[in-house]
Amino acid sequence: MKLSQFKFKLPEELVALHPSYHRDECRLMVIHKTSGRIQMYKEDEKGEPLKDKDGKPEYLDFRNILDYFDEGDTFIFNNTKVFPARLYGTKEKTDAKIEVFLLRELNQEMRLWDVLVEPARKIRIGNKLFFDSNGTMVAEVIDNTTSRGRTLRFLYDCPHDEFKKDLYALGEAPLPRYIVDRRKATKQDLNDFQCIFAKHEGAVTAPSAGLHFSRELLKRMEIKGIEFAFITLHCALGNFHEIEVEDLTKHKMDSEQMFVNAEACRAVNSAKQSGHHICAVGTSVIKATETAVGTDKMLKEYEGWTNKFIFPPYEFGLADSMIANFYHPMSPLVMSAAAFGGYDLIMEAYDTAINNGYKFGCYGDAMLILND
């Protein structure tokens, strides 16, 4: 497929800058990929839209996801944990303001970090950056990695746990650029931009489809007998990088670290062998499970890295349903959703979403793709 096939006009007012008041109350669109039906409204037993007190059809909200699954069906979640990766510092001597985006820690003992800096043209090897008013959190640039990439060594003499705590206290939630260019991140974002089941630190962006699950919704799912499995894929920034080639087969994704343990394999494979539905929560889960699925279409244990790039046409080996958000034009995320739901149907769903005011992005509305 071609990059231009995923180009569409997204009105700026449809980009969600804030989450829903409650995690689980965003709108939900249901895509029935076998029948080709796009469902936006709650329905009665005859399939007719339910009306509100003003006689208007009631939109589905995320809590209605319960209506599409039964006892024994299994949801696969990504339990990666986002850390406060975006910091602001000043350059020595000039006091120029510098944004530093932490990517990953390279060496605990030496306090080495792989980072991105902005504006990169001002940051050279040997420069020192200051991150607090009293000058205790200082970093030295020791290498260039990419055009915006640098290796920093933090000059902070204390136990590692104390260093990480103090470093993170200076950071903010790593919201996507399309949000922070329009508003500042807040302390509330540190909570909002984190799945409630997040456990293993390492992500610099949230697995957005998982943000919709509240504790109350998970409890209701548990009461209904729906099973949970957890994998870990530390979401990186590759899904936000601009694709620069028209032929998608020539695009290379950044690698992301992932883990699939034996417990997750047992839960997923048992459900699949019993004929139950397997629902992948988000494109990161799809990427991880398609990396770890065997030729027998069963999930295998995995520890390593993946740079899998999923776009249409693609034959999936594990999940038969998927939850996604509405993503930006020409992003790898929308391509992954289109691969799962079918290009024509998903593009029709996106057009329907725009015409009906659905919100896009990590804080936006959700889509459920079913194989029926």
PDB file of all heavy atoms in Angstrom, residues 107-143:
ATOM      1  N   ASN A 107      22.884   3.387  31.165  1.00  0.00           N
ATOM      2  CA  ASN A 107      23.795   2.838  32.170  1.00  0.00           C
ATOM      3  C   ASN A 107      23.468   3.459  33.525  1.00  0.00           C
ATOM      4  O   ASN A 107      23.606   4.671  33.695  1.00  0.00           O
ATOM      5  CB  ASN A 107      25.257   3.131  31.776  1.00  0.00           C
ATOM      6  CG  ASN A 107      26.262   2.493  32.711  1.00  0.00           C
ATOM      7  OD1 ASN A 107      26.332   2.826  33.888  1.00  0.00           O
ATOM      8  ND2 ASN A 107      27.050   1.574  32.166  1.00  0.00           N
ATOM      9  N   GLN A 108      23.015   2.640  34.456  1.00  0.00           N
ATOM     10  CA  GLN A 108      22.613   3.151  35.774  1.00  0.00           C
ATOM     11  C   GLN A 108      23.789   3.750  36.524  1.00  0.00           C
ATOM     12  O   GLN A 108      23.697   4.852  37.077  1.00  0.00           O
ATOM     13  CB  GLN A 108      21.994   2.027  36.604  1.00  0.00           C
ATOM     14  CG  GLN A 108      20.627   1.589  36.162  1.00  0.00           C
ATOM     15  CD  GLN A 108      19.978   0.651  37.175  1.00  0.00           C
ATOM     16  OE1 GLN A 108      20.461   0.492  38.303  1.00  0.00           O
ATOM     17  NE2 GLN A 108      18.880   0.035  36.778  1.00  0.00           N
ATOM     18  N   GLU A 109      24.890   3.028  36.553  1.00  0.00           N
ATOM     19  CA  GLU A 109      26.036   3.447  37.357  1.00  0.00           C
ATOM     20  C   GLU A 109      26.602   4.773  36.880  1.00  0.00           C
ATOM     21  O   GLU A 109      26.963   5.649  37.690  1.00  0.00           O
ATOM     22  CB  GLU A 109      27.118   2.365  37.316  1.00  0.00           C
ATOM     23  CG  GLU A 109      28.308   2.661  38.211  1.00  0.00           C
ATOM     24  CD  GLU A 109      29.331   1.534  38.195  1.00  0.00           C
ATOM     25  OE1 GLU A 109      29.030   0.451  37.658  1.00  0.00           O
ATOM     26  OE2 GLU A 109      30.443   1.746  38.715  1.00  0.00           O
ATOM     27  N   MET A 110      26.644   4.946  35.555  1.00  0.00           N
ATOM     28  CA  MET A 110      27.228   6.168  34.997  1.00  0.00           C
ATOM     29  C   MET A 110      26.194   7.265  34.760  1.00  0.00           C
ATOM     30  O   MET A 110      26.525   8.353  34.301  1.00  0.00           O
ATOM     31  CB  MET A 110      27.949   5.844  33.689  1.00  0.00           C
ATOM     32  CG  MET A 110      29.127   4.903  33.847  1.00  0.00           C
ATOM     33  SD  MET A 110      29.972   4.595  32.270  1.00  0.00           S
ATOM     34  CE  MET A 110      30.643   6.222  31.927  1.00  0.00           C
ATOM     35  N   ARG A 111      24.919   6.964  35.038  1.00  0.00           N
ATOM     36  CA  ARG A 111      23.831   7.936  34.856  1.00  0.00           C
ATOM     37  C   ARG A 111      23.720   8.381  33.394  1.00  0.00           C
ATOM     38  O   ARG A 111      23.489   9.564  33.105  1.00  0.00           O
ATOM     39  CB  ARG A 111      24.017   9.172  35.746  1.00  0.00           C
ATOM     40  CG  ARG A 111      24.232   8.901  37.226  1.00  0.00           C
ATOM     41  CD  ARG A 111      22.961   8.471  37.918  1.00  0.00           C
ATOM     42  NE  ARG A 111      23.086   8.540  39.360  1.00  0.00           N
ATOM     43  CZ  ARG A 111      23.412   7.487  40.138  1.00  0.00           C
ATOM     44  NH1 ARG A 111      23.613   6.302  39.576  1.00  0.00           N
ATOM     45  NH2 ARG A 111      23.501   7.622  41.445  1.00  0.00           N
ATOM     46  N   LEU A 112      23.890   7.441  32.469  1.00  0.00           N
ATOM     47  CA  LEU A 112      23.825   7.757  31.044  1.00  0.00           C
ATOM     48  C   LEU A 112      22.407   7.574  30.524  1.00  0.00           C
ATOM     49  O   LEU A 112      21.765   6.550  30.788  1.00  0.00           O
ATOM     50  CB  LEU A 112      24.776   6.860  30.245  1.00  0.00           C
ATOM     51  CG  LEU A 112      26.276   6.998  30.518  1.00  0.00           C
ATOM     52  CD1 LEU A 112      27.048   6.082  29.582  1.00  0.00           C
ATOM     53  CD2 LEU A 112      26.738   8.438  30.354  1.00  0.00           C
ATOM     54  N   TRP A 113      21.936   8.535  29.746  1.00  0.00           N
ATOM     55  CA  TRP A 113      20.595   8.477  29.164  1.00  0.00           C
ATOM     56  C   TRP A 113      20.643   8.817  27.674  1.00  0.00           C
ATOM     57  O   TRP A 113      21.367   9.717  27.253  1.00  0.00           O
ATOM     58  CB  TRP A 113      19.667   9.484  29.858  1.00  0.00           C
ATOM     59  CG  TRP A 113      19.124   8.976  31.158  1.00  0.00           C
ATOM     60  CD1 TRP A 113      19.769   8.943  32.361  1.00  0.00           C
ATOM     61  CD2 TRP A 113      17.822   8.443  31.390  1.00  0.00           C
ATOM     62  NE1 TRP A 113      18.941   8.418  33.325  1.00  0.00           N
ATOM     63  CE2 TRP A 113      17.739   8.105  32.763  1.00  0.00           C
ATOM     64  CE3 TRP A 113      16.708   8.229  30.584  1.00  0.00           C
ATOM     65  CZ2 TRP A 113      16.591   7.555  33.332  1.00  0.00           C
ATOM     66  CZ3 TRP A 113      15.563   7.686  31.136  1.00  0.00           C
ATOM     67  CH2 TRP A 113      15.509   7.349  32.496  1.00  0.00           C
ATOM     68  N   ASP A 114      19.835   8.094  26.915  1.00  0.00           N
ATOM     69  CA  ASP A 114      19.575   8.414  25.516  1.00  0.00           C
ATOM     70  C   ASP A 114      18.407   9.388  25.492  1.00  0.00           C
ATOM     71  O   ASP A 114      17.338   9.099  26.042  1.00  0.00           O
ATOM     72  CB  ASP A 114      19.224   7.116  24.771  1.00  0.00           C
ATOM     73  CG  ASP A 114      19.030   7.318  23.286  1.00  0.00           C
ATOM     74  OD1 ASP A 114      19.491   8.338  22.757  1.00  0.00           O
ATOM     75  OD2 ASP A 114      18.402   6.440  22.651  1.00  0.00           O
ATOM     76  N   VAL A 115      18.598  10.556  24.854  1.00  0.00           N
ATOM     77  CA  VAL A 115      17.572  11.609  24.900  1.00  0.00           C
ATOM     78  C   VAL A 115      17.429  12.261  23.530  1.00  0.00           C
ATOM     79  O   VAL A 115      18.271  12.111  22.636  1.00  0.00           O
ATOM     80  CB  VAL A 115      17.915  12.704  25.946  1.00  0.00           C
ATOM     81  CG1 VAL A 115      18.205  12.084  27.306  1.00  0.00           C
ATOM     82  CG2 VAL A 115      19.090  13.561  25.472  1.00  0.00           C
ATOM     83  N   LEU A 116      16.350  13.033  23.384  1.00  0.00           N
ATOM     84  CA  LEU A 116      16.182  13.967  22.281  1.00  0.00           C
ATOM     85  C   LEU A 116      16.230  15.374  22.853  1.00  0.00           C
ATOM     86  O   LEU A 116      15.739  15.609  23.963  1.00  0.00           O
ATOM     87  CB  LEU A 116      14.848  13.744  21.568  1.00  0.00           C
ATOM     88  CG  LEU A 116      14.628  12.379  20.921  1.00  0.00           C
ATOM     89  CD1 LEU A 116      13.213  12.296  20.355  1.00  0.00           C
ATOM     90  CD2 LEU A 116      15.646  12.102  19.832  1.00  0.00           C
ATOM     91  N   VAL A 117      16.792  16.301  22.102  1.00  0.00           N
ATOM     92  CA  VAL A 117      16.873  17.693  22.571  1.00  0.00           C
ATOM     93  C   VAL A 117      16.274  18.626  21.532  1.00  0.00           C
ATOM     94  O   VAL A 117      16.283  18.353  20.336  1.00  0.00           O
ATOM     95  CB  VAL A 117      18.333  18.107  22.877  1.00  0.00           C
ATOM     96  CG1 VAL A 117      18.889  17.309  24.029  1.00  0.00           C
ATOM     97  CG2 VAL A 117      19.214  17.961  21.631  1.00  0.00           C
ATOM     98  N   GLU A 118      15.731  19.724  22.019  1.00  0.00           N
ATOM     99  CA  GLU A 118      15.110  20.722  21.143  1.00  0.00           C
ATOM    100  C   GLU A 118      15.326  22.104  21.755  1.00  0.00           C
ATOM    101  O   GLU A 118      14.997  22.308  22.934  1.00  0.00           O
ATOM    102  CB  GLU A 118      13.609  20.423  21.023  1.00  0.00           C
ATOM    103  CG  GLU A 118      12.884  21.239  19.987  1.00  0.00           C
ATOM    104  CD  GLU A 118      13.270  20.854  18.566  1.00  0.00           C
ATOM    105  OE1 GLU A 118      13.432  19.658  18.295  1.00  0.00           O
ATOM    106  OE2 GLU A 118      13.406  21.774  17.746  1.00  0.00           O
ATOM    107  N   PRO A 119      15.898  23.093  21.044  1.00  0.00           N
ATOM    108  CA  PRO A 119      16.395  22.989  19.669  1.00  0.00           C
ATOM    109  C   PRO A 119      17.769  22.312  19.624  1.00  0.00           C
ATOM    110  O   PRO A 119      18.687  22.708  20.358  1.00  0.00           O
ATOM    111  CB  PRO A 119      16.474  24.446  19.217  1.00  0.00           C
ATOM    112  CG  PRO A 119      16.688  25.210  20.489  1.00  0.00           C
ATOM    113  CD  PRO A 119      15.963  24.463  21.567  1.00  0.00           C
ATOM    114  N   ALA A 120      17.901  21.323  18.749  1.00  0.00           N
ATOM    115  CA  ALA A 120      19.108  20.500  18.709  1.00  0.00           C
ATOM    116  C   ALA A 120      20.328  21.282  18.230  1.00  0.00           C
ATOM    117  O   ALA A 120      21.461  20.983  18.637  1.00  0.00           O
ATOM    118  CB  ALA A 120      18.863  19.290  17.811  1.00  0.00           C
ATOM    119  N   ARG A 121      20.109  22.291  17.400  1.00  0.00           N
ATOM    120  CA  ARG A 121      21.240  23.022  16.819  1.00  0.00           C
ATOM    121  C   ARG A 121      22.075  23.730  17.887  1.00  0.00           C
ATOM    122  O   ARG A 121      23.250  24.065  17.648  1.00  0.00           O
ATOM    123  CB  ARG A 121      20.752  24.034  15.784  1.00  0.00           C
ATOM    124  CG  ARG A 121      19.931  25.161  16.355  1.00  0.00           C
ATOM    125  CD  ARG A 121      19.392  26.102  15.281  1.00  0.00           C
ATOM    126  NE  ARG A 121      18.690  27.232  15.848  1.00  0.00           N
ATOM    127  CZ  ARG A 121      17.423  27.192  16.265  1.00  0.00           C
ATOM    128  NH1 ARG A 121      16.739  26.064  16.154  1.00  0.00           N
ATOM    129  NH2 ARG A 121      16.866  28.273  16.779  1.00  0.00           N
ATOM    130  N   LYS A 122      21.481  23.937  19.054  1.00  0.00           N
ATOM    131  CA  LYS A 122      22.194  24.665  20.109  1.00  0.00           C
ATOM    132  C   LYS A 122      22.977  23.754  21.049  1.00  0.00           C
ATOM    133  O   LYS A 122      23.703  24.241  21.912  1.00  0.00           O
ATOM    134  CB  LYS A 122      21.203  25.489  20.937  1.00  0.00           C
ATOM    135  CG  LYS A 122      20.519  26.618  20.176  1.00  0.00           C
ATOM    136  CD  LYS A 122      19.632  27.428  21.101  1.00  0.00           C
ATOM    137  CE  LYS A 122      18.983  28.591  20.360  1.00  0.00           C
ATOM    138  NZ  LYS A 122      18.128  29.409  21.258  1.00  0.00           N
ATOM    139  N   ILE A 123      22.808  22.454  20.896  1.00  0.00           N
ATOM    140  CA  ILE A 123      23.377  21.522  21.873  1.00  0.00           C
ATOM    141  C   ILE A 123      24.500  20.721  21.239  1.00  0.00           C
ATOM    142  O   ILE A 123      24.284  19.947  20.310  1.00  0.00           O
ATOM    143  CB  ILE A 123      22.286  20.576  22.420  1.00  0.00           C
ATOM    144  CG1 ILE A 123      21.134  21.383  23.005  1.00  0.00           C
ATOM    145  CG2 ILE A 123      22.873  19.635  23.467  1.00  0.00           C
ATOM    146  CD1 ILE A 123      21.545  22.328  24.115  1.00  0.00           C
ATOM    147  N   ARG A 124      25.711  20.914  21.794  1.00  0.00           N
ATOM    148  CA  ARG A 124      26.891  20.233  21.277  1.00  0.00           C
ATOM    149  C   ARG A 124      27.572  19.425  22.377  1.00  0.00           C
ATOM    150  O   ARG A 124      27.321  19.638  23.568  1.00  0.00           O
ATOM    151  CB  ARG A 124      27.867  21.248  20.690  1.00  0.00           C
ATOM    152  CG  ARG A 124      27.310  22.020  19.498  1.00  0.00           C
ATOM    153  CD  ARG A 124      28.336  23.027  18.972  1.00  0.00           C
ATOM    154  NE  ARG A 124      27.893  23.665  17.736  1.00  0.00           N
ATOM    155  CZ  ARG A 124      27.103  24.716  17.674  1.00  0.00           C
ATOM    156  NH1 ARG A 124      26.680  25.274  18.807  1.00  0.00           N
ATOM    157  NH2 ARG A 124      26.741  25.239  16.509  1.00  0.00           N
ATOM    158  N   ILE A 125      28.417  18.506  21.945  1.00  0.00           N
ATOM    159  CA  ILE A 125      29.175  17.700  22.903  1.00  0.00           C
ATOM    160  C   ILE A 125      29.971  18.624  23.820  1.00  0.00           C
ATOM    161  O   ILE A 125      30.617  19.579  23.364  1.00  0.00           O
ATOM    162  CB  ILE A 125      30.114  16.730  22.159  1.00  0.00           C
ATOM    163  CG1 ILE A 125      29.293  15.694  21.382  1.00  0.00           C
ATOM    164  CG2 ILE A 125      31.053  16.025  23.142  1.00  0.00           C
ATOM    165  CD1 ILE A 125      30.128  14.777  20.499  1.00  0.00           C
ATOM    166  N   GLY A 126      29.903  18.349  25.112  1.00  0.00           N
ATOM    167  CA  GLY A 126      30.604  19.162  26.106  1.00  0.00           C
ATOM    168  C   GLY A 126      29.725  20.182  26.791  1.00  0.00           C
ATOM    169  O   GLY A 126      30.079  20.682  27.878  1.00  0.00           O
ATOM    170  N   ASN A 127      28.583  20.515  26.187  1.00  0.00           N
ATOM    171  CA  ASN A 127      27.658  21.459  26.831  1.00  0.00           C
ATOM    172  C   ASN A 127      27.095  20.862  28.117  1.00  0.00           C
ATOM    173  O   ASN A 127      26.904  19.650  28.236  1.00  0.00           O
ATOM    174  CB  ASN A 127      26.493  21.792  25.907  1.00  0.00           C
ATOM    175  CG  ASN A 127      26.868  22.663  24.729  1.00  0.00           C
ATOM    176  OD1 ASN A 127      26.184  22.677  23.718  1.00  0.00           O
ATOM    177  ND2 ASN A 127      27.977  23.405  24.840  1.00  0.00           N
ATOM    178  N   LYS A 128      26.822  21.732  29.068  1.00  0.00           N
ATOM    179  CA  LYS A 128      26.157  21.323  30.299  1.00  0.00           C
ATOM    180  C   LYS A 128      24.753  21.927  30.337  1.00  0.00           C
ATOM    181  O   LYS A 128      24.537  23.071  29.929  1.00  0.00           O
ATOM    182  CB  LYS A 128      26.951  21.753  31.529  1.00  0.00           C
ATOM    183  CG  LYS A 128      28.210  20.922  31.786  1.00  0.00           C
ATOM    184  CD  LYS A 128      28.829  21.274  33.121  1.00  0.00           C
ATOM    185  CE  LYS A 128      29.973  20.327  33.479  1.00  0.00           C
ATOM    186  NZ  LYS A 128      31.090  20.416  32.533  1.00  0.00           N
ATOM    187  N   LEU A 129      23.809  21.130  30.838  1.00  0.00           N
ATOM    188  CA  LEU A 129      22.423  21.552  30.959  1.00  0.00           C
ATOM    189  C   LEU A 129      22.022  21.510  32.423  1.00  0.00           C
ATOM    190  O   LEU A 129      22.352  20.554  33.144  1.00  0.00           O
ATOM    191  CB  LEU A 129      21.509  20.628  30.135  1.00  0.00           C
ATOM    192  CG  LEU A 129      21.837  20.489  28.649  1.00  0.00           C
ATOM    193  CD1 LEU A 129      20.899  19.477  27.991  1.00  0.00           C
ATOM    194  CD2 LEU A 129      21.742  21.835  27.954  1.00  0.00           C
ATOM    195  N   PHE A 130      21.272  22.518  32.848  1.00  0.00           N
ATOM    196  CA  PHE A 130      20.838  22.636  34.244  1.00  0.00           C
ATOM    197  C   PHE A 130      19.319  22.501  34.292  1.00  0.00           C
ATOM    198  O   PHE A 130      18.603  23.121  33.505  1.00  0.00           O
ATOM    199  CB  PHE A 130      21.278  23.983  34.826  1.00  0.00           C
ATOM    200  CG  PHE A 130      22.765  24.145  34.925  1.00  0.00           C
ATOM    201  CD1 PHE A 130      23.503  24.558  33.819  1.00  0.00           C
ATOM    202  CD2 PHE A 130      23.432  23.861  36.105  1.00  0.00           C
ATOM    203  CE1 PHE A 130      24.881  24.693  33.896  1.00  0.00           C
ATOM    204  CE2 PHE A 130      24.813  23.994  36.190  1.00  0.00           C
ATOM    205  CZ  PHE A 130      25.543  24.414  35.083  1.00  0.00           C
ATOM    206  N   PHE A 131      18.832  21.701  35.247  1.00  0.00           N
ATOM    207  CA  PHE A 131      17.410  21.368  35.267  1.00  0.00           C
ATOM    208  C   PHE A 131      16.666  21.873  36.496  1.00  0.00           C
ATOM    209  O   PHE A 131      15.463  21.694  36.601  1.00  0.00           O
ATOM    210  CB  PHE A 131      17.227  19.846  35.158  1.00  0.00           C
ATOM    211  CG  PHE A 131      17.664  19.306  33.842  1.00  0.00           C
ATOM    212  CD1 PHE A 131      18.939  18.787  33.684  1.00  0.00           C
ATOM    213  CD2 PHE A 131      16.824  19.341  32.739  1.00  0.00           C
ATOM    214  CE1 PHE A 131      19.359  18.294  32.455  1.00  0.00           C
ATOM    215  CE2 PHE A 131      17.233  18.856  31.512  1.00  0.00           C
ATOM    216  CZ  PHE A 131      18.509  18.333  31.371  1.00  0.00           C
ATOM    217  N   ASP A 132      17.354  22.451  37.460  1.00  0.00           N
ATOM    218  CA  ASP A 132      16.656  23.015  38.620  1.00  0.00           C
ATOM    219  C   ASP A 132      17.338  24.313  39.024  1.00  0.00           C
ATOM    220  O   ASP A 132      18.465  24.602  38.624  1.00  0.00           O
ATOM    221  CB  ASP A 132      16.588  22.024  39.790  1.00  0.00           C
ATOM    222  CG  ASP A 132      17.951  21.499  40.209  1.00  0.00           C
ATOM    223  OD1 ASP A 132      18.970  21.995  39.690  1.00  0.00           O
ATOM    224  OD2 ASP A 132      17.996  20.588  41.052  1.00  0.00           O
ATOM    225  N   SER A 133      16.644  25.098  39.813  1.00  0.00           N
ATOM    226  CA  SER A 133      17.114  26.447  40.133  1.00  0.00           C
ATOM    227  C   SER A 133      18.366  26.461  40.994  1.00  0.00           C
ATOM    228  O   SER A 133      19.167  27.407  40.926  1.00  0.00           O
ATOM    229  CB  SER A 133      16.001  27.228  40.839  1.00  0.00           C
ATOM    230  OG  SER A 133      15.575  26.541  42.011  1.00  0.00           O
ATOM    231  N   ASN A 134      18.562  25.412  41.810  1.00  0.00           N
ATOM    232  CA  ASN A 134      19.743  25.420  42.681  1.00  0.00           C
ATOM    233  C   ASN A 134      20.943  24.723  42.055  1.00  0.00           C
ATOM    234  O   ASN A 134      21.992  24.597  42.685  1.00  0.00           O
ATOM    235  CB  ASN A 134      19.420  24.796  44.051  1.00  0.00           C
ATOM    236  CG  ASN A 134      18.855  23.390  43.914  1.00  0.00           C
ATOM    237  OD1 ASN A 134      18.998  22.756  42.872  1.00  0.00           O
ATOM    238  ND2 ASN A 134      18.221  22.909  44.975  1.00  0.00           N
ATOM    239  N   GLY A 135      20.803  24.251  40.828  1.00  0.00           N
ATOM    240  CA  GLY A 135      21.940  23.710  40.100  1.00  0.00           C
ATOM    241  C   GLY A 135      22.409  22.345  40.520  1.00  0.00           C
ATOM    242  O   GLY A 135      23.552  21.959  40.228  1.00  0.00           O
ATOM    243  N   THR A 136      21.565  21.566  41.196  1.00  0.00           N
ATOM    244  CA  THR A 136      22.003  20.236  41.629  1.00  0.00           C
ATOM    245  C   THR A 136      21.813  19.167  40.553  1.00  0.00           C
ATOM    246  O   THR A 136      22.583  18.209  40.493  1.00  0.00           O
ATOM    247  CB  THR A 136      21.234  19.804  42.896  1.00  0.00           C
ATOM    248  OG1 THR A 136      19.830  19.856  42.628  1.00  0.00           O
ATOM    249  CG2 THR A 136      21.559  20.721  44.057  1.00  0.00           C
ATOM    250  N   MET A 137      20.790  19.326  39.714  1.00  0.00           N
ATOM    251  CA  MET A 137      20.561  18.355  38.634  1.00  0.00           C
ATOM    252  C   MET A 137      21.186  18.911  37.352  1.00  0.00           C
ATOM    253  O   MET A 137      20.625  19.791  36.690  1.00  0.00           O
ATOM    254  CB  MET A 137      19.065  18.102  38.442  1.00  0.00           C
ATOM    255  CG  MET A 137      18.749  17.006  37.417  1.00  0.00           C
ATOM    256  SD  MET A 137      19.319  15.359  37.912  1.00  0.00           S
ATOM    257  CE  MET A 137      18.121  14.943  39.196  1.00  0.00           C
ATOM    258  N   VAL A 138      22.357  18.396  37.029  1.00  0.00           N
ATOM    259  CA  VAL A 138      23.132  18.873  35.889  1.00  0.00           C
ATOM    260  C   VAL A 138      23.459  17.679  34.997  1.00  0.00           C
ATOM    261  O   VAL A 138      23.707  16.573  35.481  1.00  0.00           O
ATOM    262  CB  VAL A 138      24.442  19.550  36.342  1.00  0.00           C
ATOM    263  CG1 VAL A 138      25.195  20.119  35.144  1.00  0.00           C
ATOM    264  CG2 VAL A 138      24.163  20.614  37.376  1.00  0.00           C
ATOM    265  N   ALA A 139      23.447  17.910  33.684  1.00  0.00           N
ATOM    266  CA  ALA A 139      23.820  16.855  32.740  1.00  0.00           C
ATOM    267  C   ALA A 139      24.819  17.402  31.737  1.00  0.00           C
ATOM    268  O   ALA A 139      24.754  18.569  31.334  1.00  0.00           O
ATOM    269  CB  ALA A 139      22.590  16.324  32.017  1.00  0.00           C
ATOM    270  N   GLU A 140      25.730  16.543  31.323  1.00  0.00           N
ATOM    271  CA  GLU A 140      26.724  16.900  30.313  1.00  0.00           C
ATOM    272  C   GLU A 140      26.446  16.111  29.040  1.00  0.00           C
ATOM    273  O   GLU A 140      26.163  14.905  29.088  1.00  0.00           O
ATOM    274  CB  GLU A 140      28.131  16.595  30.815  1.00  0.00           C
ATOM    275  CG  GLU A 140      29.219  16.958  29.820  1.00  0.00           C
ATOM    276  CD  GLU A 140      30.606  16.600  30.329  1.00  0.00           C
ATOM    277  OE1 GLU A 140      30.710  15.914  31.363  1.00  0.00           O
ATOM    278  OE2 GLU A 140      31.588  17.015  29.681  1.00  0.00           O
ATOM    279  N   VAL A 141      26.514  16.778  27.898  1.00  0.00           N
ATOM    280  CA  VAL A 141      26.335  16.116  26.608  1.00  0.00           C
ATOM    281  C   VAL A 141      27.637  15.420  26.244  1.00  0.00           C
ATOM    282  O   VAL A 141      28.681  16.069  26.116  1.00  0.00           O
ATOM    283  CB  VAL A 141      25.954  17.129  25.510  1.00  0.00           C
ATOM    284  CG1 VAL A 141      25.740  16.412  24.174  1.00  0.00           C
ATOM    285  CG2 VAL A 141      24.702  17.909  25.907  1.00  0.00           C
ATOM    286  N   ILE A 142      27.582  14.095  26.064  1.00  0.00           N
ATOM    287  CA  ILE A 142      28.822  13.367  25.779  1.00  0.00           C
ATOM    288  C   ILE A 142      28.843  12.733  24.389  1.00  0.00           C
ATOM    289  O   ILE A 142      29.884  12.257  23.950  1.00  0.00           O
ATOM    290  CB  ILE A 142      29.098  12.280  26.847  1.00  0.00           C
ATOM    291  CG1 ILE A 142      28.030  11.202  26.820  1.00  0.00           C
ATOM    292  CG2 ILE A 142      29.228  12.898  28.229  1.00  0.00           C
ATOM    293  CD1 ILE A 142      28.398   9.993  27.682  1.00  0.00           C
ATOM    294  N   ASP A 143      27.672  12.742  23.681  1.00  0.00           N
ATOM    295  CA  ASP A 143      27.687  12.159  22.336  1.00  0.00           C
ATOM    296  C   ASP A 143      26.473  12.641  21.546  1.00  0.00           C
ATOM    297  O   ASP A 143      25.439  12.998  22.127  1.00  0.00           O
ATOM    298  CB  ASP A 143      27.666  10.624  22.426  1.00  0.00           C
ATOM    299  CG  ASP A 143      28.086   9.949  21.118  1.00  0.00           C
ATOM    300  OD1 ASP A 143      28.584  10.665  20.219  1.00  0.00           O
ATOM    301  OD2 ASP A 143      27.920   8.724  21.003  1.00  0.00           O
TER     302      ASP A 143
END
